[in-house]
Amino acid sequence: MATSSEEIQVNMLKPISLLFKIHAGQWPLVTNTGEGSIKPKAGFNGQYEAEVLRKAMKGRGTDEQTIIQVVTSCSNEQRQQISNYYKTMYGRKLVEDFGSELSGNFEKTVQALMLSAPRFDAAELKRAMKGLGTDEAALIEIMCTRTNAEILAIKLAYKKDYGGDLEDDLRSDTSGHFGKLMVSMSVGGRDEKSGVDVAKAKDDAKALYDAGEQQRGTDESRFNVILATRSFEQLRATFDEYAKISKKDIEKAIKSEFSGDIEKGLLTIVKCARNKAAYFAEQLYKSMKGLGTDDDTLIRVVVSRCEKDMEQIKHEFQRMYSQPLSQFIADDTSGDYKKILLAIVGN
């Protein structure tokens, strides 16, 4: 019997709530896996870095290169310490000084780096739902790719910074089957245990086939149940079993049964289950290909993945598009914006 979303939420909150309680405004920080392009700075001295940044912005003119060097050579946790030291030493907020001294996409990138990972995701979700229209692509990218722990941290940050409930805001800003998928993702209840249950994979594959290709119309809820709750490892086994039954790849099946944002959301889950780094490489490519640049997506992916899996993303980008990510960025951006993106991504 499938576990209800309420049961999943309760089970998830018990162990994780101890890890992610908020104390004095401190947020859970990204765990560096050693696969990021930005790593903690050896011999870090927060007071010294704060002083360097103050000198870079004091008086006439701004030393943008020094700012880039400092914020991209320290981990997110270290940047939070710099911000605290800066306020203690000078009675000024570092982010406000950045706001008055910098501009454009360069400023956006610096400000994004200065937020903890949960607060940055929360800010992007708020931006995506603010005002007229909705940036569904941003909602999909964040809600369908984060771990259970990351989702919970985002919800806490969202509540703290904006006073609202993320699930409620998602529910009011989206609708239909896409809205249901977003609410499901906001629970943070995906099974994350390792190991594959082959019999369950076969049953789920048959259930997906029966809910889509095998009948007239589509039972969207069955797709939601399976893709929203099973572990990525279990989903990969399910997709393999699906191909045996259908003779069609699960992505092709989803494209034939769904359309619009729900299709994009389900495909994102499939792609992340198979290769999350390749998914983000594709997001970066799409943000820069053709005329114009989707700077919101470019900044969001680069900043949110730089301490998690940027090295794998770079590898996948090279494999998929036969060009280094750094070269693609260099060809598509300019000025200090280009410099900071390249400093984050690395060679």
Side-chain angles (χ1 to χ4, degrees):
M1 180 180 294
T3 305
S4 70
S5 61
E6 291 81 4
E7 288 173 322
I8 291 171
Q9 190 172 30
V10 170
N11 291 336
M12 284 304 306
L13 286 174
K14 286 180 180 178
I16 296 176
S17 61
L18 296 176
L19 293 174
F20 293 109
K21 286 183 179 178
I22 304 170
H23 294 292
Q26 295 179 359
W27 297 98
L29 298 166
V30 174
T31 300
N32 192 293
T33 64
E35 300 166 338
S37 53
I38 291 182
K39 296 177 174 61
K41 186 174 186 177
F44 173 74
N45 183 323
Q47 290 180 313
Y48 171 77
E49 303 292 353
E51 186 175 359
V52 168
L53 287 175
R54 181 65 188 138
K55 288 180 179 178
M57 294 184 283
K58 189 177 180 180
R60 288 187 176 182
T62 303
D63 184 351
E64 289 87 358
Q65 187 56 47
T66 294
I67 293 173
I68 292 171
Q69 193 280 325
V70 172
V71 300
T72 62
S73 65
C74 299
S75 68
N76 190 285
E77 182 177 5
Q78 290 171 338
R79 290 193 293 273
Q80 306 310 309
Q81 294 180 45
I82 293 171
S83 185
N84 289 333
Y85 277 120
Y86 191 93
K87 188 174 182 180
T88 301
M89 294 164 67
Y90 303 111
R92 308 167 67 95
K93 289 185 178 181
L94 181 56
V95 293
E96 291 182 358
D97 281 357
F98 281 148
S100 63
E101 295 291 327
L102 312 177
S103 62
N105 289 318
F106 176 51
E107 180 199 348
K108 287 182 182 179
T109 308
V110 172
Q111 297 285 22
L113 286 168
M114 295 309 299
L115 290 173
S116 68
R119 291 189 67 193
F120 178 50
D121 277 343
E124 281 294 281
L125 290 170
K126 186 66 176 179
R127 178 195 62 77
M129 295 184 282
K130 187 178 180 181
L132 295 175
T134 303
D135 184 352
E136 289 88 358
L139 298 184
I140 291 168
E141 182 199 302
I142 296 171
M143 299 305 299
C144 294
T145 67
R146 301 321 192 233
T147 65
N148 292 340
E150 287 169 343
I151 289 292
L152 179 59
I154 291 167
K155 288 162 68 175
L156 293 173
Y158 193 93
K159 182 73 172 180
K160 174 79 172 181
D161 288 350
Y162 305 110
D165 182 81
L166 176 58
E167 180 182 327
D168 290 343
D169 285 357
L170 286 169
R171 197 187 303 273
S172 64
D173 214 66
T174 58
S175 61
H177 296 294
F178 176 64
K180 292 174 184 175
L181 179 64
M182 289 297 97
V183 171
S184 293
M185 294 295 96
S186 74
V187 173
R190 184 179 298 283
D191 181 8
E192 293 181 335
K193 297 190 298 291
S194 60
V196 171
D197 183 333
V198 176
K200 187 176 184 179
K202 291 180 178 179
D203 289 344
D204 282 349
K206 182 64 164 56
L208 290 173
Y209 182 69
D210 290 345
E213 292 183 72
Q214 186 66 1
Q215 67 173 25
R216 280 192 173 185
T218 306
D219 181 358
E220 293 89 354
S221 64
R222 182 48 44 188
F223 279 81
N224 195 98
V225 167
I226 294 173
L227 269 66
T229 64
R230 309 301 192 249
S231 71
F232 283 166
E233 187 178 7
Q234 183 68 31
L235 284 177
R236 288 194 294 272
T238 300
F239 301 154
D240 290 341
E241 294 299 328
Y242 187 92
K244 295 175 184 177
I245 297 172
S246 171
K247 309 303 180 185
K248 181 186 292 187
D249 183 83
I250 188 66
E251 289 191 42
K252 290 184 179 179
I254 289 173
K255 289 176 182 178
S256 67
E257 296 292 327
F258 296 89
S259 62
D261 294 318
I262 181 61
E263 175 193 341
K264 294 174 184 175
L266 294 176
L267 288 175
T268 294
I269 295 172
V270 171
K271 290 176 182 179
C272 285
R274 285 179 165 164
N275 187 333
K276 187 178 285 190
Y279 165 76
F280 282 112
E282 182 182 21
Q283 290 297 99
L284 287 170
Y285 177 77
K286 288 180 177 178
S287 74
M288 293 180 279
K289 73 171 184 176
L291 295 174
T293 303
D294 180 355
D295 296 295
D296 286 333
T297 297
L298 176 56
I299 293 169
R300 184 174 59 251
V301 175
V302 166
V303 171
S304 67
R305 309 314 296 184
C306 66
E307 292 185 48
K308 296 177 182 177
D309 52 5
M310 183 54 70
E311 294 303 327
Q312 287 94 326
I313 293 170
K314 287 156 60 177
H315 174 79
E316 293 298 329
F317 194 96
Q318 175 76 54
R319 179 185 66 81
M320 295 163 67
Y321 305 110
S322 301
Q323 186 175 357
L325 174 59
S326 57
Q327 186 60 55
F328 214 74
I329 290 173
D331 291 342
D332 205 68
T333 57
S334 61
D336 293 318
Y337 179 41
K338 175 174 75 174
K339 291 177 183 177
I340 194 168
L341 290 177
L342 292 177
I344 296 170
V345 169
N347 296 323

